[in-house]
Amino acid sequence: MRLKQLLGYALFAGLTALSPLMAPTAMAEGPLRIEITDGVIEPLPFAVPAFQDDGGGAGNYASNIARLVAADLAGTGLFREVPSSAYISSITSFASPVAYEDWRAINAQALITGAVSQSGGNLTVKFRVFDVFSGQQLGEGLQFGGSASSWRRMAHKVADIVYSRITGETGYFDSRVVFVSESGPKNARRKRLGIMDFDGANVQYLTDSSSLVLAPRFSPTGDKVLYTSYETGFPQVYVLDVASVGRRALTSKEGEMSFAPRFSPDGTRVVYSLSAGGNTDIFTMNVNGGGEQRLTSAPSIETAPSYSPDGQYIVFESDRSGTQQLYIMSANGGEARRISFGPGRYGTPVWSPRGDLIAFTKQNAGRFHIGVMRTDGSEERLLTASFLDEGPSWSPNGRVIMFTRESQGADGAPALYSVDISGRNLRRVVTDGPASDPAWSPLLK
Amino acid sequence: MKSYALTAVLVGVLAVAGCSKSPMNAGNGFGADAGAGAIVPGSASDPTSPAYFQQTIGDRVLFAVDQSSLSPEGIDLLTKQSAWLMENPAFTAVIEGHADEQGTREYNLALGARRASAVQNFLIERGVAPNRLKTVSYGKERPLEICSDETCYSRNRRAVTVLAASGLTS
């Protein structure tokens, strides 16, 4: 029986214990593969029939999970869903053999089938991926479980595995985004920290709007957030525990302002900028306090530091040349090498999780752009252009960039957008109201 | 007798000012009755008041795009601010640095810090005790004007000296 091929990774527990699935198995050798390094691709057509109701009143979950898997895949721009109205045959049993010819006829190159059962408030999700044109299953079927309230996470996990099997890269759907939720008029904006799934669902607020807050950043494990708050009347760096929403100030020296914090890749250090006497430089300290170390000391502005994924280097912006440009230095400071040389100004550099690219904000000729360049400054590409785009954040797999786009004028307001690093698939991320400063979490565990 | 009358007028003014959103108007009304040279405490006609500092001297200086150097007009205004602060030692001040929206959030915070510091340094050079002055940068977070062109931007690139009464600790 096919079902015996399913691996039993059933973990009936709450959301936090929805633990790692097995790593995707070796890629099938076959034609079903998107090479997403190519400049232009034709989206790969797939079909996701409603998952089977395997009992316990799981019917709604079965169809909602299939819909969300389809939305995740289609949302990448790398896949295109074949609508169910085109289906020739239907899936009536998760165990039955697939009628490949019926899916070939409608040009569904990938087929995803699944089944969901419910028992005692927990769901069990099983799914398979088929390479329709070669007529074989792609990788092994998988099964996992979790509480019914975490059905969206289970759908995102299914989509991550499908994405991974077809592209050969890890996915990014089972992830969260921390951001600044904004309200009120432009000259009296109220801001609070929000956290949501990468697709805008399940929003929670982490702070109230009583103090201005800016630019939250996740820890490498996603359980803590660094941000800047005006709680004391002066901007200071805070660290917040996502689960308890407890927070504490990391810096609070009289007469100094600190901002632009980010974690080191091992999560033990914080790099940030500090303004004293009008001069802004880059410092690091332990996330648990103490161990301050100055990394730059120049009369120019040094800010927006970001570690390389191996923790060896820091990319940052400085106006030491007269305009904002990007530089890389050792994580212990010292000589910095300039990497941006094009026209205009460059700021907010962020090292990609793959290590090969640096995303940045560019200002040139009255327009703002989100762009990427290699770490030596070569192959600069601008991905967006608008009145005001800024603050790129990488998806956990380094494939997508989320950023803030603010519209012009008295009624102007910020919104979150994402774009593929190819420059395609610019999309607005749905939020309740104006939002800014997104920061993407790592893939959840 | 005359001094008694003046006191009565002042008490009346304070009562009115206390429940008025607009002490300037209240001051004008009573100022006329009390004759030229009458002082309305707390209003812009009182040279020792924050309102006078804000409205008559001017509480803010403006900056060119991406600059933090003081203009000749700014230097004139800050010279008067420093004289006022020297004559009114009961006040401390927080100098707020601001930027227009053309620029990234982090850079504008740093730029606002430069502007606030430029004002702070000038006031200290002119004799104001350093422990009476603090700075804060709001970057582009608190624009005064909300349009997206130079008429608004030029007013948003500012450093504002905000007075607080006494107390050298925050």
Side-chain angles (χ1 to χ4, degrees):
Chain A
M1 289 299 292
R2 288 272 189 156
L3 260 176
K4 293 199 171 153
Q5 294 176 354
L6 291 172
L7 298 181
Y9 273 75
L11 290 155
F12 291 103
L15 186 67
T16 52
L18 186 72
S19 71
L21 297 168
M22 60 168 297
T25 50
M27 293 305 117
E29 308 293 333
L32 188 63
R33 184 70 180 258
I34 301 179
E35 292 298 338
I36 53 182
T37 49
D38 292 349
V40 180
I41 62 125
E42 180 65 21
L44 185 141
F46 70 95
V48 186
F51 284 10
Q52 301 294 298
D53 177 356
D54 244 8
N60 281 343
Y61 292 114
S63 65
N64 288 342
I65 287 173
R67 286 300 81 220
L68 191 49
V69 170
D72 282 354
L73 294 174
T76 64
L78 303 172
F79 300 87
R80 172 173 63 78
E81 187 182 17
V82 178
S84 59
S85 58
Y87 294 176
I88 295 168
S89 64
S90 57
I91 302 290
T92 53
S93 158
F94 183 63
S96 302
V98 166
Y100 289 111
E101 61 282 5
D102 288 351
W103 301 100
R104 274 182 212 126
I106 60 171
N107 193 35
Q109 294 186 31
L111 171 69
I112 299 124
T113 66
V116 183
S117 63
Q118 181 171 216
S119 172
N122 287 312
L123 299 179
T124 301
V125 178
K126 302 184 272 201
F127 72 98
R128 289 196 183 107
V129 187
F130 296 96
D131 177 347
V132 170
F133 282 76
S134 68
Q136 57 187 334
Q137 191 170 326
L138 190 65
E140 293 174 299
L142 288 176
Q143 166 178 318
F144 56 93
S147 73
S149 62
S150 65
W151 70 269
R152 295 187 70 95
R153 281 201 63 190
M154 287 189 271
H156 291 318
K157 282 180 176 296
V158 172
D160 275 328
I161 292 164
V162 174
Y163 178 96
S164 175
R165 286 188 181 174
I166 297 176
T167 66
E169 300 182 353
T170 56
Y172 57 86
F173 309 120
D174 186 26
S175 62
R176 306 205 84 193
V177 170
V178 62
F179 65 102
V180 172
S181 164
E182 303 198 10
S183 60
K186 197 169 170 180
N187 56 359
R189 264 304 143 68
R190 292 160 61 82
K191 297 190 173 194
R192 57 181 170 164
L193 294 187
I195 188 170
M196 62 188 186
D197 296 351
F198 96 100
D199 59 1
N202 291 324
V203 181
Q204 297 165 268
Y205 296 101
L206 302 174
T207 65
D208 60 26
S209 300
S210 58
S211 315
L212 191 58
V213 291
L214 305 173
R217 310 291 181 206
F218 272 112
S219 64
T221 46
D223 56 343
K224 293 192 192 76
V225 168
L226 288 168
Y227 65 106
T228 302
S229 171
Y230 281 71
E231 209 169 303
T232 61
F234 300 84
Q236 300 290 352
V237 173
Y238 285 73
V239 61
L240 177 143
D241 181 80
V242 173
S244 71
V245 202
R247 66 183 190 282
R248 65 187 160 80
L250 279 188
T251 59
S252 57
K253 272 191 203 148
E254 177 83 17
E256 296 182 345
M257 292 172 264
S258 60
F259 53 96
R262 278 185 199 275
F263 281 97
S264 63
D266 67 4
T268 64
R269 301 279 292 175
V270 176
V271 65
Y272 60 99
S273 52
L274 186 144
S275 292
N279 183 31
T280 302
D281 274 306
I282 294 172
F283 291 73
T284 61
M285 66 178 294
N286 295 328
V287 69
N288 294 322
E292 289 94 348
Q293 187 188 352
R294 172 188 278 269
L295 299 185
T296 66
S297 61
S300 45
I301 289 173
E302 277 72 38
T303 187
S306 167
Y307 279 98
S308 60
D310 64 6
Q312 298 294 302
Y313 299 96
I314 290 170
V315 62
F316 64 98
E317 64 173 76
S318 168
D319 68 351
R320 61 185 64 175
S321 74
T323 60
Q324 272 174 287
Q325 300 292 340
L326 306 184
Y327 295 80
I328 290 175
M329 66 178 169
S330 155
N332 294 313
E335 278 298 297
R337 177 169 50 91
R338 179 171 165 180
I339 61 165
S340 61
F341 291 96
R345 305 156 58 137
Y346 297 78
T348 69
V350 195
W351 217 301
S352 91
R354 296 179 189 180
D356 57 341
L357 294 175
I358 286 165
F360 54 83
T361 305
K362 178 166 177 165
Q363 224 181 316
N364 188 32
R367 303 276 282 171
F368 278 75
H369 309 270
I370 301 296
V372 293
M373 61 173 63
R374 300 192 65 80
T375 57
D376 62 2
S378 65
E379 297 179 43
E380 175 180 331
R381 287 185 293 119
L382 300 182
L383 309 180
T384 73
S386 92
F387 166 70
L388 208 177
D389 286 349
E390 70 169 310
S393 176
W394 289 96
S395 64
N397 67 352
R399 182 71 213 174
V400 180
I401 290 171
M402 201 179 286
F403 60 96
T404 306
R405 170 166 288 183
E406 186 141 3
S407 53
Q408 193 168 358
D411 298 325
L416 308 187
Y417 280 77
S418 66
V419 67
D420 191 272
I421 55 167
S422 65
R424 295 190 319 269
N425 202 36
L426 177 71
R427 301 168 71 90
R428 182 163 175 173
V429 180
V430 177
T431 50
D432 281 347
S436 60
D437 291 0
W440 218 314
S441 79
L443 267 184
L444 301 178
K445 298 296 187 208
Chain B
M1 200 58 198
K2 191 179 178 189
S3 119
Y4 176 78
L6 181 57
T7 305
V9 168
L10 289 177
V11 168
V13 168
L14 284 171
V16 172
C19 46
S20 168
K21 294 267 185 204
S22 178
M24 279 276 285
N25 293 342
N28 289 343
F30 283 85
D33 287 345
I39 294 167
V40 182
S43 81
S45 67
D46 172 3
T48 66
S49 71
Y52 178 90
F53 181 87
Q54 191 180 21
Q55 296 162 28
T56 307
I57 291 179
D59 64 351
R60 64 200 57 199
V61 293
L62 303 179
F63 295 88
V65 175
D66 201 21
Q67 296 300 311
S68 56
S69 52
L70 299 170
S71 65
E73 300 78 26
I75 287 171
D76 284 350
L77 188 144
L78 292 176
T79 302
K80 291 175 191 153
Q81 280 193 3
S82 64
W84 190 93
L85 285 163
M86 303 281 278
E87 286 161 16
N88 295 276
F91 290 93
T92 62
V94 175
I95 302 151
E96 300 177 347
H98 298 268
D100 65 33
E101 69 186 354
Q102 310 170 91
T104 54
R105 202 176 308 290
E106 294 84 351
Y107 183 82
N108 277 336
L109 281 172
L111 180 58
R114 270 185 181 163
R115 288 174 176 163
S117 184
V119 168
Q120 181 186 38
N121 289 341
F122 185 90
L123 295 176
I124 290 170
E125 276 170 27
R126 296 299 165 113
V128 180
N131 66 353
R132 294 175 63 197
L133 303 173
K134 289 182 181 176
T135 59
V136 63
S137 174
Y138 284 96
K140 61 175 174 177
E141 305 303 320
R142 287 285 178 261
L144 192 66
E145 305 290 339
I146 58 176
C147 72
S148 292
D149 57 50
E150 181 55 23
T151 57
C152 290
Y153 292 164
S154 63
R155 299 194 58 197
N156 288 337
R157 293 188 298 264
R158 67 201 193 276
V160 185
T161 307
V162 179
L163 296 178
S166 72
L168 294 180
T169 56
S170 60

